[in-house]
Amino acid sequence: MEENARPGTHPARGLGAVTGAVMLLGAVLGPGALALPTLAADAAGPASLLAWALLLLASVPVAATFAALGGTHPDGGGVAHFAAIAFDGRIAAAVSWWFLTAVPLGVTAAALMGGHYIAAALGAGPGFAMGVGFGLLVASFALNAAGLHATGRIQVLTATVMVTLLVVTVTVSFGGVRSEAFTPFAPHGWGSVGTAATVLFFAFAGWEAATHLSADFADPVRGLRRATTLTLALVIALYLGLAVVTLGVLGPSAGSDPAPLLTLLRRAFGPTGTALATAAALLLTFGASNAYLASGARLGAALGRDGALPRRLVGRTTPGREPRRSLAFLGACCLVVAVPVLGGVVTLDGLVRATSALLAAVTLTGTLAGIRLLRGRQRGNAVVASAFLAVVLVFCGALLVIPAVIGAAAVLAAGSARVGS
């Protein structure tokens, strides 16, 4: 992949550290805050706290690696761009297909999480949840079509309210934490911590998304590093706090409560908690969808620029122009994903786990590229991050078939394209 932005050519009105942090926060601190505490508690009970802690700790070298890569090699192709430089075009093709597959799966899962939460808050049924979820998805597509600057301005507002709501939830709920709620600590055995970690990876896979926006920063080196540091501090505090109060207040029911944030807010604020939970679901869903659609659209356009995907489908990267054709392609992919979801063939848990497996493969490839492209302490971060991500992939188990099949298809397509040329 050729570089989309070179020194001295970054947009004058590009993203700053604060707006960049907001976009990144939307990718990492998304609707996972709504449903993942329950999914993790169901998998491992109170021992899921270990999975949260391990993932938060591992997020430091992972985030640092992608900030360094994005600052050094800014390009809309993101991890695929790094893979092309560090390895070859076949690996880059596999990464591209993994991420482009993960985007429609992930944003659909995010939309459904938000829809189900809002339906639970309002006492509505599954049909209403589906309608709200897909309505949120359409709104995210419309906002991205308006442009990255419009998306960034709205993200600043929504992120401010979102963080405030989560801080209030953790603060007011902390007094209700009971020590007995954490016993037995590992009711499903210690191996369940690894299972919980694969589910929770859905909430920590946003760091690679920022690399697709790296070329849109006014100063990719300092801006992306500062945005990552700010986001990392907020994510660690909010996710760990939310996990503790969910387990400590709800106890054994934490693993079966479909809307733990709603329950916490209702306990703290009564009927007002319903409105707060609805607002949180809207903001968390909207923020994550916006961030991933912005990243996915830029990757698709970068692939069109480099001839890795047909330009009729995804267009190509053009400085100063929004990748609307690529965005439309992602919209069509979301419609394809929606069919089995609406038909009840694919569940929310299935979407989350499939997305996690794909993004874990993308993220590991990115950190492995970091080992080859970075030096000094940055390279050390990449080594630590790669070791951790390899363990996460192992715990994905049978789901590894998904990135394996998609990756093989991408490599074959890339080989055919070279032969044809």
Side-chain angles (χ1 to χ4, degrees):
M1 285 189 174
E2 64 190 66
E3 286 197 3
N4 182 36
R6 294 178 175 83
T9 64
H10 303 300
R13 295 180 61 246
L15 296 175
V18 174
T19 307
V22 168
M23 295 296 292
L24 186 51
L25 189 65
V28 181
L29 189 66
L34 301 175
L36 291 181
T38 288
L39 294 176
D42 181 55
S48 62
L49 280 177
L50 294 178
W52 281 103
L54 287 171
L55 284 167
L56 287 167
L57 183 63
S59 289
V60 176
V62 172
T65 298
F66 284 116
L69 285 170
T72 306
H73 305 282
D75 187 87
V79 178
H81 177 63
F82 311 145
I85 298 174
F87 307 116
D88 59 33
R90 292 172 299 177
I91 302 299
V95 170
S96 301
W97 284 38
W98 288 335
F99 191 82
L100 279 183
T101 304
V103 168
L105 292 176
V107 297
T108 301
L112 291 177
M113 286 181 187
H116 283 301
Y117 237 81
I118 293 170
L122 301 178
F128 180 84
M130 290 279 190
V132 171
F134 286 113
L136 287 170
L137 196 54
V138 169
S140 295
F141 271 102
L143 182 60
N144 268 275
L148 189 61
H149 290 290
T151 303
R153 286 193 293 268
I154 292 180
Q155 288 280 81
V156 169
L157 176 62
T158 58
T160 301
V161 179
M162 175 180 71
V163 170
T164 302
L165 278 173
L166 292 178
V167 168
V168 168
T169 301
V170 172
T171 302
V172 300
S173 300
F174 204 78
V177 172
R178 298 170 290 110
S179 59
E180 58 268 24
F182 297 97
T183 54
F185 189 71
H188 307 303
W190 293 108
S192 63
V193 175
T195 303
T198 62
V199 176
L200 292 176
F201 190 80
F202 183 86
F204 295 91
W207 301 113
E208 85 294 333
T211 62
H212 296 282
L213 304 175
S214 57
D216 290 284
F217 275 82
D219 183 348
V221 177
R222 288 183 294 180
L224 186 54
R225 184 177 65 246
R226 291 171 180 172
T228 300
T229 301
L230 178 58
T231 303
L232 189 59
L234 286 170
V235 165
I236 289 175
L238 292 175
Y239 263 146
L240 196 55
L242 188 61
V244 169
V245 297
T246 298
L247 289 162
V249 174
L250 302 185
S253 65
S256 58
D257 191 324
L261 185 62
L262 172 61
T263 303
L264 291 173
L265 286 169
R266 279 178 172 170
R267 287 192 179 197
F269 299 104
T272 305
T274 299
L276 293 175
T278 301
L282 283 168
L283 297 174
L284 289 166
T285 302
F286 209 57
S289 298
N290 285 340
Y292 268 97
L293 288 177
S295 299
R298 278 155 181 77
L299 172 59
L303 295 175
R305 173 199 66 199
D306 299 329
L309 283 177
R311 290 182 182 176
R312 289 185 178 183
L313 284 180
V314 295
R316 61 180 179 178
T317 295
T318 304
R321 295 184 62 183
E322 296 299 324
R324 293 189 177 90
R325 184 174 296 185
S326 180
L327 192 65
F329 171 73
L330 289 176
C333 292
C334 285
L335 288 176
V336 173
V337 174
V339 172
V341 171
L342 292 172
V345 177
V346 177
T347 64
L348 174 60
D349 184 64
L351 283 178
V352 169
R353 290 178 183 274
T355 304
S356 295
L358 288 164
L359 292 181
V362 171
T363 309
L364 175 58
T365 306
T367 56
L368 289 174
I371 294 176
R372 299 194 68 172
L373 299 177
L374 301 174
R375 296 291 180 268
R377 185 174 61 182
Q378 293 176 340
R379 187 177 188 179
N381 285 332
V383 170
V384 174
S386 297
F388 165 74
L389 290 164
V391 174
V392 172
L393 270 178
V394 169
F395 276 99
C396 286
L399 287 171
L400 288 177
V401 171
I402 298 174
V405 171
I406 293 174
V411 170
L412 289 174
S416 298
R418 285 199 304 273
V419 172
S421 61

